[in-house]
Amino acid sequence: MTEGVFSGGGHHKIDFRDVISIENLFFAWKKFSKGKRSHPDAVSFEMRLEEHLFSLHERLANGTWTNDPYVCKRIADPKPRIIHIASVRDRVLYQAVYQQLYQVFDKTFIHDSYASREGKGTHAGVKRFEDFARKVSSNYTKPAFVLKCDVKKFFDGIDHGILFALISGRITDERLLELLQVVIGNFWIPAFAGMTKYGLPLGNVTSQLFQMST
């Protein structure tokens, strides 16, 4: 791990070399491939795993990496959504980025944020809700109310410029910032196209982290 990662506000010392290191890429593959090794694209990638990861490392190191096209897919889980799926190679990279940035940005999230966080998740969220429900309802003896809401097309409306400014406020490594700018900028919503790009792809692990950072 990179020396000098600090908690709290301010800048953090995360090195580009740590993100693209072979060790981090192999670790990212393990995280990404969990539960996916029977998928044809993951099987194909794993058959030449070392070749793929060393090639990815080399392209990142010399600045020639560009993302593969996203595959658009409609899902219902349960509400209908459109997700954009990156190639296995790129999803390994995004997992590698996520693993290094998570340690910085997770410290900035409120305690009661449970999605896509280590040690959190649905079960922890339900347990926490039960604790609050008992307290607010005086052990279920008084009425209590819950607000359930969703920000319509929140991912679609994320401003790339604002997001990158927030990231730049915590990360100082110039090569890492350049990589993050490419990762963020390689996807945008055409309806919002213009001087400023908007939108993050549903389906990217980095999008989960970035949307919570805005």
Side-chain angles (χ1 to χ4, degrees):
M1 302 297 288
T2 303
E3 181 181 353
V5 177
F6 310 110
S7 62
H11 291 87
H12 299 258
K13 183 65 175 178
I14 293 186
D15 197 296
F16 172 76
R17 292 169 296 182
D18 290 335
V19 174
I20 72 164
S21 70
I22 292 297
E23 292 81 6
N24 194 42
L25 292 177
F26 269 101
F27 181 72
W29 160 255
K30 290 181 180 179
K31 296 286 286 187
F32 160 77
S33 63
K34 187 176 181 180
K36 300 184 181 73
R37 287 188 170 175
S38 61
H39 294 192
D41 55 351
V43 171
S44 177
F45 191 88
E46 190 171 21
M47 288 178 65
R48 297 164 56 195
L49 181 61
E50 291 190 5
E51 179 183 341
H52 285 305
L53 294 186
F54 276 92
S55 174
L56 175 58
H57 169 78
E58 183 178 354
R59 287 175 180 271
L60 291 165
N62 62 30
T64 60
W65 172 81
T66 55
N67 70 293
D68 295 324
Y70 284 94
V71 175
C72 181
K73 182 178 180 181
R74 294 182 179 272
I75 63 171
D77 64 342
K79 67 178 183 180
R81 294 192 302 166
I82 298 176
I83 64 172
H84 293 83
I85 305 171
S87 67
V88 170
R89 182 202 65 170
D90 289 348
R91 280 182 282 172
V92 170
L93 168 60
Y94 300 151
Q95 185 66 243
V97 170
Y98 176 89
Q99 292 302 319
Q100 292 292 319
L101 265 60
Y102 179 87
Q103 58 189 313
V104 171
F105 287 99
D106 184 67
K107 297 178 177 68
T108 69
F109 304 148
I110 64 170
H111 176 80
D112 290 309
S113 175
Y114 289 89
S116 303
R117 297 180 66 191
E118 296 175 8
K120 300 284 187 173
T122 303
H123 290 96
V126 170
K127 185 178 184 302
R128 182 72 162 168
F129 168 77
E130 290 175 344
D131 292 340
F132 281 130
R134 289 193 186 96
K135 182 177 180 180
V136 171
S137 66
S138 297
N139 237 3
Y140 305 117
T141 61
K142 298 179 180 179
F145 300 90
V146 175
L147 172 64
K148 180 182 178 181
C149 65
D150 187 17
V151 179
K152 185 177 181 180
K153 294 187 179 297
F154 178 71
F155 278 81
D156 290 358
I158 291 177
D159 185 307
H160 286 194
I162 294 174
L163 172 59
F164 191 72
L166 292 171
I167 293 173
S168 301
R170 294 187 174 273
I171 306 298
T172 58
D173 187 288
E174 290 186 5
R175 293 198 68 189
L176 178 53
L177 287 174
E178 289 174 0
L179 174 61
L180 294 178
Q181 196 162 34
V182 174
V183 170
I184 294 169
N186 65 20
F187 175 91
W188 68 94
I189 303 300
F192 290 99
M195 293 297 292
T196 301
K197 291 182 178 180
Y198 292 83
L200 295 177
L202 284 171
N204 269 14
V205 65
T206 51
S207 295
Q208 296 294 330
L209 186 64
F210 292 153
Q211 65 93 13
M212 289 189 290
S213 305
T214 54

